[in-house]
PDB file of all heavy atoms in Angstrom:
ATOM      1  N   ARG A 106     -16.527 -34.027  15.313  1.00 98.00           N
ATOM      2  CA  ARG A 106     -16.786 -34.600  13.988  1.00 98.00           C
ATOM      3  C   ARG A 106     -16.160 -33.612  12.997  1.00 98.00           C
ATOM      4  O   ARG A 106     -16.298 -32.394  13.144  1.00 98.00           O
ATOM      5  CB  ARG A 106     -18.288 -34.689  13.793  1.00 98.00           C
ATOM      6  CG  ARG A 106     -18.668 -35.600  12.597  1.00 98.00           C
ATOM      7  CD  ARG A 106     -20.166 -35.592  12.337  1.00 98.00           C
ATOM      8  NE  ARG A 106     -20.901 -36.218  13.429  1.00 98.00           N
ATOM      9  CZ  ARG A 106     -21.769 -35.633  14.185  1.00 98.00           C
ATOM     10  NH1 ARG A 106     -22.142 -34.368  13.931  1.00 98.00           N
ATOM     11  NH2 ARG A 106     -22.380 -36.263  15.154  1.00 98.00           N
ATOM     12  N   SER A 130     -19.022 -39.555   3.026  1.00 98.00           N
ATOM     13  CA  SER A 130     -19.677 -38.684   2.069  1.00 98.00           C
ATOM     14  C   SER A 130     -20.678 -37.697   2.702  1.00 98.00           C
ATOM     15  O   SER A 130     -20.774 -36.569   2.274  1.00 98.00           O
ATOM     16  CB  SER A 130     -20.464 -39.548   1.010  1.00 98.00           C
ATOM     17  OG  SER A 130     -21.413 -40.328   1.637  1.00 98.00           O
ATOM     18  N   GLU A 131     -21.363 -38.180   3.772  1.00 98.00           N
ATOM     19  CA  GLU A 131     -22.362 -37.282   4.401  1.00 98.00           C
ATOM     20  C   GLU A 131     -21.741 -36.126   5.157  1.00 98.00           C
ATOM     21  O   GLU A 131     -22.418 -35.248   5.617  1.00 98.00           O
ATOM     22  CB  GLU A 131     -23.359 -38.085   5.256  1.00 98.00           C
ATOM     23  CG  GLU A 131     -22.714 -38.714   6.490  1.00 98.00           C
ATOM     24  CD  GLU A 131     -22.118 -40.093   6.253  1.00 98.00           C
ATOM     25  OE1 GLU A 131     -21.854 -40.456   5.072  1.00 98.00           O
ATOM     26  OE2 GLU A 131     -21.914 -40.830   7.240  1.00 98.00           O
ATOM     27  N   TYR A 142     -34.378 -36.919 -10.866  1.00 98.00           N
ATOM     28  CA  TYR A 142     -34.737 -38.345 -10.753  1.00 98.00           C
ATOM     29  C   TYR A 142     -35.472 -38.744 -12.003  1.00 98.00           C
ATOM     30  O   TYR A 142     -36.421 -38.082 -12.426  1.00 98.00           O
ATOM     31  CB  TYR A 142     -35.642 -38.528  -9.523  1.00 98.00           C
ATOM     32  CG  TYR A 142     -36.194 -39.916  -9.357  1.00 98.00           C
ATOM     33  CD1 TYR A 142     -35.452 -40.874  -8.666  1.00 98.00           C
ATOM     34  CD2 TYR A 142     -37.443 -40.262  -9.829  1.00 98.00           C
ATOM     35  CE1 TYR A 142     -35.893 -42.149  -8.468  1.00 98.00           C
ATOM     36  CE2 TYR A 142     -37.953 -41.574  -9.661  1.00 98.00           C
ATOM     37  CZ  TYR A 142     -37.156 -42.466  -8.959  1.00 98.00           C
ATOM     38  OH  TYR A 142     -37.668 -43.755  -8.774  1.00 98.00           O
ATOM     39  N   LEU A 172     -27.437 -25.551   6.240  1.00 98.00           N
ATOM     40  CA  LEU A 172     -28.364 -26.360   5.451  1.00 98.00           C
ATOM     41  C   LEU A 172     -28.065 -27.845   5.671  1.00 98.00           C
ATOM     42  O   LEU A 172     -28.979 -28.633   5.946  1.00 98.00           O
ATOM     43  CB  LEU A 172     -28.243 -26.044   3.974  1.00 98.00           C
ATOM     44  CG  LEU A 172     -29.116 -26.765   3.010  1.00 98.00           C
ATOM     45  CD1 LEU A 172     -30.566 -26.322   3.139  1.00 98.00           C
ATOM     46  CD2 LEU A 172     -28.646 -26.540   1.548  1.00 98.00           C
ATOM     47  N   ILE A 174     -25.803 -29.273   7.998  1.00 98.00           N
ATOM     48  CA  ILE A 174     -25.454 -29.778   9.323  1.00 98.00           C
ATOM     49  C   ILE A 174     -26.394 -29.191  10.399  1.00 98.00           C
ATOM     50  O   ILE A 174     -26.800 -29.914  11.339  1.00 98.00           O
ATOM     51  CB  ILE A 174     -24.021 -29.340   9.703  1.00 98.00           C
ATOM     52  CG1 ILE A 174     -23.081 -29.694   8.519  1.00 98.00           C
ATOM     53  CG2 ILE A 174     -23.511 -30.013  10.979  1.00 98.00           C
ATOM     54  CD1 ILE A 174     -21.617 -29.209   8.683  1.00 98.00           C
ATOM     55  N   GLU A 193     -16.133 -16.037   9.909  1.00 98.00           N
ATOM     56  CA  GLU A 193     -16.971 -15.038  10.639  1.00 98.00           C
ATOM     57  C   GLU A 193     -18.139 -15.695  11.320  1.00 98.00           C
ATOM     58  O   GLU A 193     -18.440 -15.441  12.534  1.00 98.00           O
ATOM     59  CB  GLU A 193     -17.508 -13.984   9.691  1.00 98.00           C
ATOM     60  CG  GLU A 193     -16.453 -13.013   9.121  1.00 98.00           C
ATOM     61  CD  GLU A 193     -16.991 -12.121   7.974  1.00 98.00           C
ATOM     62  OE1 GLU A 193     -18.163 -12.319   7.578  1.00 98.00           O
ATOM     63  OE2 GLU A 193     -16.213 -11.306   7.487  1.00 98.00           O
TER      64      GLU A 193
ATOM     65  N   ARG B 118     -27.506 -46.089  10.694  1.00 98.00           N
ATOM     66  CA  ARG B 118     -27.748 -44.668  11.016  1.00 98.00           C
ATOM     67  C   ARG B 118     -29.147 -44.371  10.480  1.00 98.00           C
ATOM     68  O   ARG B 118     -29.532 -44.758   9.378  1.00 98.00           O
ATOM     69  CB  ARG B 118     -26.739 -43.806  10.345  1.00 98.00           C
ATOM     70  CG  ARG B 118     -26.658 -42.382  10.907  1.00 98.00           C
ATOM     71  CD  ARG B 118     -25.657 -41.511  10.177  1.00 98.00           C
ATOM     72  NE  ARG B 118     -24.313 -41.983  10.336  1.00 98.00           N
ATOM     73  CZ  ARG B 118     -23.495 -42.417   9.342  1.00 98.00           C
ATOM     74  NH1 ARG B 118     -23.956 -42.385   8.079  1.00 98.00           N
ATOM     75  NH2 ARG B 118     -22.285 -42.775   9.554  1.00 98.00           N
ATOM     76  N   GLN B 127     -37.257 -28.523   6.981  1.00 97.00           N
ATOM     77  CA  GLN B 127     -36.033 -29.105   7.581  1.00 97.00           C
ATOM     78  C   GLN B 127     -35.712 -28.376   8.911  1.00 97.00           C
ATOM     79  O   GLN B 127     -35.441 -29.055   9.890  1.00 97.00           O
ATOM     80  CB  GLN B 127     -34.881 -28.953   6.598  1.00 97.00           C
ATOM     81  CG  GLN B 127     -33.575 -29.457   7.084  1.00 97.00           C
ATOM     82  CD  GLN B 127     -32.571 -29.468   5.945  1.00 97.00           C
ATOM     83  OE1 GLN B 127     -32.532 -30.383   5.105  1.00 97.00           O
ATOM     84  NE2 GLN B 127     -31.695 -28.505   5.909  1.00 97.00           N
ATOM     85  N   SER B 142     -29.623 -33.013  14.136  1.00 98.00           N
ATOM     86  CA  SER B 142     -29.992 -32.091  13.038  1.00 98.00           C
ATOM     87  C   SER B 142     -29.390 -32.535  11.709  1.00 98.00           C
ATOM     88  O   SER B 142     -30.002 -32.381  10.676  1.00 98.00           O
ATOM     89  CB  SER B 142     -29.612 -30.671  13.360  1.00 98.00           C
ATOM     90  OG  SER B 142     -28.204 -30.573  13.550  1.00 98.00           O
ATOM     91  N   GLU B 143     -28.152 -32.972  11.703  1.00 98.00           N
ATOM     92  CA  GLU B 143     -27.491 -33.287  10.428  1.00 98.00           C
ATOM     93  C   GLU B 143     -28.011 -34.581   9.810  1.00 98.00           C
ATOM     94  O   GLU B 143     -27.664 -34.845   8.680  1.00 98.00           O
ATOM     95  CB  GLU B 143     -25.933 -33.427  10.630  1.00 98.00           C
ATOM     96  CG  GLU B 143     -25.445 -34.548  11.477  1.00 98.00           C
ATOM     97  CD  GLU B 143     -25.412 -34.179  12.990  1.00 98.00           C
ATOM     98  OE1 GLU B 143     -26.029 -33.225  13.403  1.00 98.00           O
ATOM     99  OE2 GLU B 143     -24.724 -34.949  13.719  1.00 98.00           O
ATOM    100  N   TYR B 154     -26.712 -15.057   3.931  1.00 98.00           N
ATOM    101  CA  TYR B 154     -25.758 -14.568   4.912  1.00 98.00           C
ATOM    102  C   TYR B 154     -25.693 -13.030   4.898  1.00 98.00           C
ATOM    103  O   TYR B 154     -25.530 -12.432   3.841  1.00 98.00           O
ATOM    104  CB  TYR B 154     -24.372 -15.125   4.582  1.00 98.00           C
ATOM    105  CG  TYR B 154     -23.274 -14.740   5.529  1.00 98.00           C
ATOM    106  CD1 TYR B 154     -23.076 -15.386   6.742  1.00 98.00           C
ATOM    107  CD2 TYR B 154     -22.466 -13.673   5.208  1.00 98.00           C
ATOM    108  CE1 TYR B 154     -22.025 -14.987   7.552  1.00 98.00           C
ATOM    109  CE2 TYR B 154     -21.424 -13.254   6.042  1.00 98.00           C
ATOM    110  CZ  TYR B 154     -21.243 -13.951   7.205  1.00 98.00           C
ATOM    111  OH  TYR B 154     -20.222 -13.540   8.056  1.00 98.00           O
ATOM    112  N   LEU B 184     -27.953 -35.773  -2.251  1.00 98.00           N
ATOM    113  CA  LEU B 184     -27.308 -34.481  -1.997  1.00 98.00           C
ATOM    114  C   LEU B 184     -26.779 -34.418  -0.555  1.00 98.00           C
ATOM    115  O   LEU B 184     -25.616 -34.003  -0.351  1.00 98.00           O
ATOM    116  CB  LEU B 184     -28.340 -33.362  -2.227  1.00 98.00           C
ATOM    117  CG  LEU B 184     -27.871 -31.948  -2.047  1.00 98.00           C
ATOM    118  CD1 LEU B 184     -26.953 -31.534  -3.210  1.00 98.00           C
ATOM    119  CD2 LEU B 184     -29.079 -30.977  -1.974  1.00 98.00           C
ATOM    120  N   ILE B 186     -26.607 -37.028   1.832  1.00 98.00           N
ATOM    121  CA  ILE B 186     -25.938 -38.190   2.423  1.00 98.00           C
ATOM    122  C   ILE B 186     -24.949 -38.810   1.445  1.00 98.00           C
ATOM    123  O   ILE B 186     -23.857 -39.243   1.847  1.00 98.00           O
ATOM    124  CB  ILE B 186     -27.031 -39.261   2.798  1.00 98.00           C
ATOM    125  CG1 ILE B 186     -28.204 -38.592   3.611  1.00 98.00           C
ATOM    126  CG2 ILE B 186     -26.392 -40.367   3.616  1.00 98.00           C
ATOM    127  CD1 ILE B 186     -29.301 -39.439   3.882  1.00 98.00           C
ATOM    128  N   GLU B 205     -38.532 -46.461  -4.511  1.00 98.00           N
ATOM    129  CA  GLU B 205     -38.036 -46.986  -5.806  1.00 98.00           C
ATOM    130  C   GLU B 205     -36.469 -46.918  -5.794  1.00 98.00           C
ATOM    131  O   GLU B 205     -35.823 -47.871  -6.220  1.00 98.00           O
ATOM    132  CB  GLU B 205     -38.593 -46.225  -6.974  1.00 98.00           C
ATOM    133  CG  GLU B 205     -40.077 -46.448  -7.238  1.00 98.00           C
ATOM    134  CD  GLU B 205     -40.639 -45.476  -8.298  1.00 98.00           C
ATOM    135  OE1 GLU B 205     -39.948 -44.586  -8.774  1.00 98.00           O
ATOM    136  OE2 GLU B 205     -41.850 -45.681  -8.644  1.00 98.00           O
TER     137      GLU B 205
END
Side-chain angles (χ1 to χ4, degrees):
Chain A
R106 197 184 293 119
S130 62
E131 66 273 18
Y142 177 85
L172 181 71
I174 313 174
E193 291 172 355
Chain B
R118 196 183 294 118
Q127 178 171 283
S142 62
E143 67 272 18
Y154 177 84
L184 182 71
I186 312 172
E205 290 172 354

